[in-house]
């Protein structure tokens, strides 16, 4: 997430789970959009897009289950974690080698930034 920030790319989390520990950790990391306890993710996602004036095609999104499909089908760069539901993986342009909770987010971010051509510059500047 820090690499995204260094690249000037906003980040967000929409999760059906709600946890004070998770919210605290996301806040510590500087995640700009934190929306916990939402199972209707598309509604929240569309609110974020409107608020930030971002179009679907300019979004990379990573998911793992059915509730992520409405968003994955619309964004420019859909991704899934290794242990995502097989239907979710079918809609992903990239599937991580790592499982969710085992470095998948970091892998996805690094892959996306490398594909965007900015990873090397960020790493060289560290």
């Amino acid at each position: 997430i820090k690499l995204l920030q260094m690249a000037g790319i906003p980040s967000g989390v929409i999760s059906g789970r709600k946890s004070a520990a998770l919210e605290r950790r996301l806040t510590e990391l500087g995640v700009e959009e934190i929306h916990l306890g939402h199972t209707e993710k598309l509604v929240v996602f569309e609110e974020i897009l409107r608020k930030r004036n971002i179009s679907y095609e300019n979004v990379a999104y990573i998911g793992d289950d059915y509730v992520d499909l409405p968003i994955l089908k619309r964004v420019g760069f859909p991704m899934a974690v290794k242990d995502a539901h097989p239907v979710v993986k079918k809609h992903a342009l990239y599937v991580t080698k790592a499982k969710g909770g085992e470095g998948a987010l970091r892998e996805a971010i690094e892959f996306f930034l490398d594909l965007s051509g900015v990873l090397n510059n960020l790493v060289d500047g560290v």
Side-chain angles (χ1 to χ4, degrees), residues 1-7 9 60 62 77 79 94-98 102-124 126:
I1 291 174
K2 293 297 182 188
L3 285 173
L4 289 175
Q5 292 167 352
M6 291 168 57
I9 300 171
I62 187 165
F77 197 75
M79 297 180 279
Y94 179 73
V95 177
T96 63
K97 294 174 184 65
E102 297 179 5
L105 181 59
R106 179 187 189 111
E107 177 189 335
I109 290 170
E110 288 176 352
F111 180 85
F112 175 75
L113 291 174
D114 189 38
L115 190 66
S116 301
V118 298
L119 182 62
N120 286 338
N121 290 339
L122 293 173
V123 174
D124 288 345
V126 175

